[in-house]
Amino acid sequence: AEAAAAAAEAAAGAFALLSRADSDSLPARPPSLSFEARAAPNISVVVPCYGHVPYLEQTLMSVVTQRYPPAEILVLDDGSEERCGDAAAAMLRRPALARPRRRQVLTLVGWWGWSSADLARFEDEVVVTPNRGVAHARNAGIRRARGDWIMCLDGDDTVSDSYLMRAMEQVALVPRTNLVYANQQFFDGSRWQWTVPPLRADNALVNGPLPLMTLWRKDLWLATPHGFDEALPKGHEDWAFWLQLTRLPLLPHKLDDFLTQYRYKKDSKMRTRERNNPEVPRLMRTLFADLYPVRKLLIDHHELLKPAGEPGQKPGITEAVVMDVSVSQHLHPTRPEPHLWSGMILQAKGDLAGAAAAYNASAALAAPYDWQGSYRLWRALLLLGDGAAAAREEAAAVKAREVATLRKERSVRRQEENVEAAAAALEEKEAALRQQEEAISAEAKLVQSVKEVMREEASIIEAQADMIEAALSEAEALEKLTLDAAEDAATAAAAAATTSAAAAAA
């Protein structure tokens, strides 16, 4: 309520300034816009917002600088905790956005002769909705829109300033045109350029065929059964919308330039959803039994019916999506698809009776061309027909799973035992190596000790040899002294004898 009041105040302030003389010259209406004043296209820009406050001003700036002014801007706050509606109202009041937006309104007055009634009918608004997802927010904005043309623009994306002008020039040239789109430039986390292929039903079945910012007449949305489908869990609502449009008589036109810009965020909600919930496109395809081949839908059924398997293996429908399906079934009890999805969830869990009841509800609500509820009911009744056989099959399956689990556990235990044995053998080998290393070390120490002893003995022997050599030298000297003494004594004796002989002779 506060956001709506603030938006009303901002709008009233902007329109009050229309009576003032604007100092800037306003652009003249281009000759290419050859509309009668009362037949001029009025464009409503619908901007859902949740978690987009950091980018919202850039988004709104790309709208208020359009060369073909939109008749109104509707910002839808999807019950965000960040109160992005308040932020949007404040942004629209600030001069950076208010002045170019006022200039746009003055331009519309000059081009098409808008009256006070027109100014009162087309008002920029901020609307706060319950937090029920972007599909609900877009539908709420489109339902509230007064324009005959709609452009949805997420609160973090942008469009080039010539986009609306180029589109309306084409509408002026070919008045029956009811859908206009352009190529798309990725920015922020990617520089990829999406050259959008021509819109064909076969392309639309494979991938989302168009950028969200595609311009289309509001009567196309009114002609679809669901608009942006709020029953579809976890996204792809824009793809589902384009598929609904392929059922209608379209006269589309492509602008060849890159006039729309998509902010690519690696960890955005959409990227996370694509990684974690691959079942959502399969659920989306079940909405279009008249468009997709039976074989393709049966393959989707097979994947969606997968039960939870081994730890880490995802079931066909993950728990997060199971919760969304439960909410969808509660909010849309007259739609056949939520009952169909609920039946698949119950069947995957083994509750065939509950699944059959859900399939029966789906078949009762389905369109004549939608065979899926009836087919699934028939298959469930076949499984329930022979209860004993089904029970035996289930028991056999359980037994087989138990046996497989036991075998796997035994295999794991054997592997663990082998690992433990290998570890023990490795420890023993390491101990033996340590013992060998210790023995080698001891032997090396012993060899070192022997070498030291041998060096000591060699020193002793060398010392003894020196002593022996010294003793021999002393003995030789003593012997020489003895010989010398003997010679001296003999010489003395001979001399004494001579002397005695001479004396006797005398």
Side-chain angles (χ1 to χ4, degrees):
E2 293 175 3
E9 179 186 349
F15 292 134
L17 293 172
L18 291 177
S19 59
R20 302 179 185 178
D22 197 285
S23 58
D24 297 330
S25 60
L26 297 175
R29 175 157 59 99
S32 55
L33 298 177
S34 55
F35 300 108
E36 295 294 333
R38 292 293 91 188
N42 294 312
I43 302 173
S44 296
V45 178
V46 177
V47 183
C49 177
Y50 188 97
H52 295 145
V53 170
Y55 317 109
L56 186 57
E57 186 167 4
Q58 183 181 6
T59 297
L60 294 175
M61 182 61 75
S62 76
V63 177
V64 301
T65 54
Q66 287 295 308
R67 289 164 48 198
Y68 188 100
E72 62 182 353
I73 303 171
L74 302 172
V75 179
L76 285 300
D77 181 347
D78 184 23
S80 65
E81 296 178 359
E82 62 181 351
R83 299 173 67 89
C84 68
D86 292 346
M91 292 173 189
L92 290 170
R93 285 196 299 268
R94 289 201 287 266
L97 293 179
R99 293 187 68 181
R101 180 59 182 149
R102 184 170 66 249
R103 180 180 171 83
Q104 284 187 328
V105 175
L106 289 170
T107 300
L108 289 173
V109 171
W111 285 4
W112 312 123
W114 270 20
S115 64
S116 57
D118 294 316
L119 295 177
R121 184 162 65 99
F122 294 107
E123 292 185 352
D124 295 345
E125 291 187 272
V126 175
V127 181
V128 180
T129 64
N131 180 221
R132 286 174 54 182
V134 68
H136 176 265
R138 287 177 189 153
N139 286 336
I142 297 166
R143 197 173 292 114
R144 197 177 186 90
R146 277 78 62 176
D148 50 354
W149 281 81
I150 303 292
M151 181 182 75
C152 292
L153 178 65
D154 280 349
D156 56 348
D157 297 333
T158 61
V159 287
S160 299
D161 61 357
S162 61
Y163 180 45
L164 300 187
M165 177 66 77
R166 295 273 303 278
M168 293 303 101
E169 287 175 340
Q170 171 61 28
V171 174
L173 186 65
V174 184
R176 291 178 56 245
T177 302
N178 55 9
L179 185 144
V180 183
Y181 60 99
N183 294 326
Q184 188 166 84
Q185 172 68 61
F186 281 38
F187 71 106
D188 199 352
S190 172
R191 299 301 300 168
W192 184 64
Q193 291 184 322
W194 179 21
T195 302
V196 182
L199 177 59
R200 298 201 316 261
D202 54 347
N203 288 337
L205 293 174
V206 179
N207 291 300
L210 296 174
L212 176 66
M213 307 80 148
T214 295
L215 276 156
W216 35 269
R217 291 187 184 272
K218 185 177 178 179
D219 55 11
L220 290 178
W221 179 84
L222 292 170
T224 64
H226 311 299
F228 288 93
D229 201 332
E230 300 173 34
L232 184 63
K234 293 287 182 184
H236 288 297
E237 62 286 327
D238 50 342
W239 187 0
F241 178 64
W242 306 133
L243 285 173
Q244 291 179 77
L245 292 189
T246 62
R247 295 166 170 161
L248 303 175
L250 297 178
L251 186 62
H253 178 78
K254 178 187 174 182
L255 305 172
D256 287 328
D257 293 327
F258 292 87
L259 301 177
T260 66
Q261 295 85 43
Y262 173 78
R263 187 184 300 274
Y264 179 90
K265 299 189 289 291
K266 183 178 180 181
D267 296 322
S268 67
K269 288 193 296 184
M270 187 178 76
R271 301 276 95 74
T272 303
R273 199 161 49 229
E274 289 174 349
R275 289 192 297 268
N276 296 340
N277 305 110
E279 69 270 34
V280 175
R282 299 185 184 107
L283 294 174
M284 190 275 298
R285 285 190 285 268
T286 64
L287 298 171
F288 300 98
D290 57 329
L291 299 180
Y292 283 95
V294 172
R295 177 181 175 81
K296 178 66 174 176
L297 291 175
L298 287 176
I299 293 173
D300 287 334
H301 286 204
H302 174 76
E303 294 297 321
L304 292 169
L305 285 167
K306 285 184 176 179
E310 300 294 332
Q313 179 180 333
K314 289 184 179 181
I317 302 178
T318 57
E319 283 302 317
V321 176
V322 167
M323 294 178 61
D324 288 343
V325 168
S326 177
V327 172
S328 179
Q329 193 175 18
H330 173 73
L331 294 176
H332 308 281
T334 60
R335 295 282 302 277
E337 296 86 4
H339 297 288
L340 174 69
W341 304 332
S342 178
M344 290 179 173
I345 293 167
L346 292 171
Q347 182 173 343
K349 293 180 177 179
D351 183 1
L352 286 175
Y359 293 146
N360 188 48
S362 176
L365 295 168
Y369 58 79
D370 190 352
W371 51 269
Q372 298 172 99
S374 299
Y375 173 76
R376 293 258 58 94
L377 175 62
W378 171 66
R379 295 289 298 172
L381 292 176
L382 283 180
L383 293 173
L384 283 170
D386 186 359
R392 286 194 298 271
E393 290 177 3
E394 180 64 20
V398 171
K399 184 66 176 177
R401 286 196 293 269
E402 290 176 352
V403 170
T405 301
L406 287 174
R407 287 177 177 172
K408 187 171 183 178
E409 290 176 352
R410 289 172 184 168
S411 175
V412 169
R413 281 199 298 271
R414 282 197 298 269
Q415 291 178 358
E416 291 175 347
E417 290 171 358
N418 292 337
V419 170
E420 290 176 357
L426 182 60
E427 288 180 358
E428 291 178 0
K429 189 172 182 180
E430 290 177 348
L433 288 173
R434 284 196 297 272
Q435 290 177 355
Q436 290 179 1
E437 289 175 354
E438 291 173 357
I440 291 171
S441 178
E443 187 175 351
K445 290 179 180 178
L446 180 60
V447 170
Q448 185 67 25
S449 299
V450 170
K451 287 181 178 180
E452 291 177 356
V453 170
M454 291 179 66
R455 280 197 295 270
E456 291 175 358
E457 289 180 351
S459 298
I460 293 171
I461 292 171
E462 186 176 353
Q464 289 177 348
D466 291 341
M467 291 174 60
I468 292 171
E469 186 176 353
L472 290 174
S473 297
E474 290 178 359
E476 287 178 358
L478 182 60
E479 183 179 0
K480 185 177 180 182
L481 289 173
T482 302
L483 290 175
D484 289 344
E487 286 180 1
D488 290 344
T491 301
T498 301
T499 303
S500 297

